[in-house]
Amino acid sequence: SYDLTQPPSVSVSPGQTARITCSGDALPEKYAYWYQQKSGQAPVLVIYEDNKRPSGIPERFSGSRSGTMATLTISGAQVEDEADYYCYSTDSSGNHWGVFGGGTKLTVL
Amino acid sequence: EVQLVESGGGLVQPGGSLRLSCAASGFTVTNNHMSWVRQAPGKGLEWVSIIYSGGFTYYADSVKGRFTISTDNSKNTLYLQMNSLRAADTAVYYCARGVISGTYYFDYWGQGTLVTVSS
């Protein structure tokens, strides 16, 4: 099965830049997506197709992909950005649906 | 406004059955590619099943042969029939609307419904 690997946790102070990585063998060829999940809430799409922000997502959220790694960057992280973040992508099997990374707990304090 | 509201979760014994519902508004379920995604307590997200707008269905290996995904156009509702339930199926189940743009990804999610399989 295909795996996307994320660090279990990232910690920054308010106003600092937070970077969350996601590595996967198929990422050189496949888009990455990022979901934010606050405690007790449903996931919310924050980045799609590597670097696009859905309507309503603050500009401080950005994404990039290079080689086998995708990165979610939160520039000037706010306390309200504290959440679990999941990357999502597909493998090269031809299936449309993909897999989620294990998630990264972002602490902002 | 797109909204998804799940219902039908609860406590069920191992081997039992449960049917989850996901009522949609702001769009037509049968014109979209809909999925169920689950999250075991304290764990990550796991895709469970998809039903394409054309009616084709696919399942994760972990639920194949036990779960059935379906839609009702008249009620604009997505369902997940879960049979032969196991403790490992305990999770919050989310319905999600999908978009195919090369990859299939989820743009809107419901709030989830908790399924607990325990004796």
Side-chain angles (χ1 to χ4, degrees):
Chain A
S1 63
Y2 183 50
D3 291 323
L4 294 171
T5 302
Q6 300 180 234
S9 62
V10 168
S11 183
V12 298
S13 298
Q16 288 188 328
T17 296
R19 292 182 179 86
I20 299 172
T21 59
C22 173
S23 65
D25 290 341
L27 282 176
E29 302 166 0
K30 300 294 184 180
Y31 285 131
Y33 301 78
W34 292 92
Y35 292 90
Q36 175 195 66
Q37 187 179 34
K38 295 182 178 179
S39 181
Q41 298 185 19
V44 172
L45 180 68
V46 294
I47 293 291
Y48 67 102
E49 294 178 2
D50 296 336
N51 54 22
K52 298 176 183 176
R53 276 181 292 105
S55 174
I57 300 302
E59 290 184 8
R60 63 180 180 272
F61 287 87
S62 64
S64 62
R65 178 170 59 96
S66 179
T68 59
M69 185 166 290
T71 302
L72 173 69
T73 301
I74 307 172
S75 303
Q78 307 295 308
V79 172
E80 60 262 33
D81 299 330
E82 188 163 291
D84 293 324
Y85 290 85
Y86 294 90
C87 64
Y88 171 85
S89 187
T90 56
D91 60 17
S92 303
S93 67
N95 291 331
H96 282 130
W97 57 90
V99 298
F100 294 93
T104 298
K105 171 65 178 179
L106 174 65
T107 302
V108 182
L109 52 73
Chain B
E1 180 190 6
V2 172
Q3 283 195 325
L4 296 164
V5 179
E6 300 95 334
S7 60
L11 175 64
V12 62
Q13 292 188 338
S17 298
L18 214 54
R19 189 178 80 157
L20 306 183
S21 300
C22 171
S25 57
F27 72 102
T28 302
V29 162
T30 51
N31 289 343
N32 284 267
H33 316 299
M34 302 296 297
S35 275
W36 289 94
V37 177
R38 69 183 180 183
Q39 186 171 34
K43 301 297 185 182
L45 300 166
E46 178 191 18
W47 171 80
V48 172
S49 180
I50 183 174
I51 182 165
Y52 287 96
S53 60
F56 291 101
T57 60
Y58 295 91
Y59 302 90
D61 288 343
S62 57
V63 306
K64 200 174 297 181
R66 301 187 298 123
F67 290 11
T68 303
I69 190 172
S70 63
T71 55
D72 184 329
N73 189 45
S74 65
K75 297 182 179 179
N76 206 30
T77 298
L78 173 73
Y79 300 100
L80 186 67
Q81 177 67 44
M82 304 186 296
N83 299 330
S84 303
L85 283 162
R86 308 165 179 167
D89 297 316
T90 294
V92 173
Y93 284 74
Y94 297 99
C95 66
R97 190 180 79 167
V99 176
I100 292 180
S101 177
T103 305
Y104 173 81
Y105 67 98
F106 317 99
D107 61 349
Y108 288 96
W109 300 63
Q111 281 303 114
T113 186
L114 176 62
V115 172
T116 303
V117 184
S118 175
S119 56

